[in-house]
Amino acid sequence: MPNISNRGASMPPSPIRKLVPYAEAAKKRGTKVFHLNIGQPDIETPAAILDAVRNTKMNVLAYSHSAGHESYRRKLVEYYGRNDIQVTTEQIIVTCGGSEAIMFAIMSCMDEGDEIIIPEPFYANYNGYAVGSDVKIVPIPSGIETGFALPPVQDFEKAITPRTKAIMICNPNNPTGYLYSLAELEVIRDICIRHNLFLLSDEAYREFCYDGNKHISALSLPGLEQHAILLDTISKRYSACGARIGAFVTKNKTVLDTAMKFAQARLSPPSFGQILGEAAVDLPANYFDAIHEEYTARRDLLVSRLQQMPGVTCPLPGGAFYAIAELPVDSAENFCKWLLESFEYQGSTVMMAPASGFYATPGRGVREVRLAYVLNLDDINNAMDCLEHALVAYEAQKTKTKVVTQL
Ligand SMILES: Cc1ncc(COP(=O)(O)O)c(C=O)c1O
C-alpha cells in the first residue's frame, strides 16, 4: 500500500470528537448523555430564513460567483455597517463556512515555515489549518488565573521572530469565552503595526457578548486597514452551522486578490446557504434580544453551579457560549472518559471536552475542561447535578483504589 503523507500523519485528531466512541457506548447502554462538549447551538434556526430557501424557485442549481452572490455581499455590507464595520461589496469573499475563510487567510498570507502567534488555549481546528499549510503556530499562554485575558505585550514581543507573519485571535473566544476589550485590541493593533504583521481575527461569536459589553471588530480599528482580516461565519449567529456560509473580509486589496484566486479554485460557496444568509440580514432588529437573554441565563447558571463545587475554578466568560473550568482531578481527559465509561447519576452522564486539546504547549490545561452551554436551563441544571456527584464519586473511587493498591 502506498504511504500517506507526513502532513496527513501529523494532522491532530479533533479534541472535541475524540471521546465520541465512549459517548456512543454510553448511549448504547441506555445512559442519557448531556452534551456540553460541542458548540452546536440548540436554538432553532429562524423559520423566516429557512423559508427563504424553501420558497426559492430555480430551474438550475448553478455555481455562484466565486466571491458569492453580489446581492448577498450587498446585504453583508449593510449587516457589517450596523456592527460598525465599514466595508464594500468588493472587500468581501463569501466562503464555505468560517473554516474556509481561516484556510484562505493562512494560505494567502503565509508560506511554509512562517509563524503565527496565537494566544492559547485556542480553537483546536487552527492546528489542522496550520498543519495543512506547513505553518508553525507559536502559542503564548493565557491562563485561568487571569480569566484568560490577553497575555502581556512582552510575551508577544518575546515570541516574535523573523519568520513571524501574523497574530491570530478569536474574539469572543472559543474555547475560553473571553471577550477582548478595546484596550486589549489596541495592544494587539500596536504590535501588528510595529512588527508589520497580519491580524487574523476570527469573530464567529460576534453576537454573543454579555453584561452590556459591545464587540469590537479588528476591522474597525483605525490604522489596521492593511493588516486586519476578518474571518466570519453565520453558523453560530443564526444557528445555521449546516448552511456552510462564512466570509473573508479585508480592506487589503492584495490579500483580497490573493484569496480570490483560492476562491476561484474551489469555484463557489453553496447557493442555498447564501440565500439563507441573505434573508438573515433582514431578521428583525430585536432577533438577538431573546437569544442574549437565554445565553446569559445559561452562562450564569452553569458558572455559578461550577463555582459552588469544591475545588472547581471557573471564571465568568464575557462572550461566546463556552466556559473553561479547572477540576479537582489529575487528568481531565481521564475523568471525561470515566464519566462516559463508568459513571451515571439518575440514568445520565455528562460529556465535556478536555481542554488540553486546545493548548499547544504540552502539559497545559490538563486539569481543565471546556463546557459549551448549548443546552436548555433544565438540562444544564441536571448536567451540573450529575457532574457534582461525579466529582465526589471519582475522588471516592480514587481513594478506594489507593487503599487497595497499598494493601
Ligand atoms: C472559533 C471558531 N471559528 C470558526 C469556526 C468554524 O465555523 P464554520 O461552521 O462556519 O466553519 C468555529 C466553529 O465552531 C469556531 O468555533
Side-chain angles (χ1 to χ4, degrees), residues 279-301:
V281 181
D282 286 330
L283 284 168
N286 64 358
Y287 168 70
F288 291 108
D289 292 355
I291 291 170
H292 275 145
E293 210 174 293
E294 177 65 21
Y295 276 109
T296 304
R298 291 173 177 191
R299 176 198 66 164
D300 291 350
L301 174 65

Side-chain angles (χ1 to χ4, degrees), residues 97-99 102 123 126 170 174 202 204-205 233 235-236 244 322:
S99 305
I102 299 167
Y123 177 53
Y126 297 158
C170 176
N174 174 11
D202 182 341
Y205 298 90
T233 170
S235 288
K236 318 289 164 160
R244 306 312 304 137
Y322 305 100

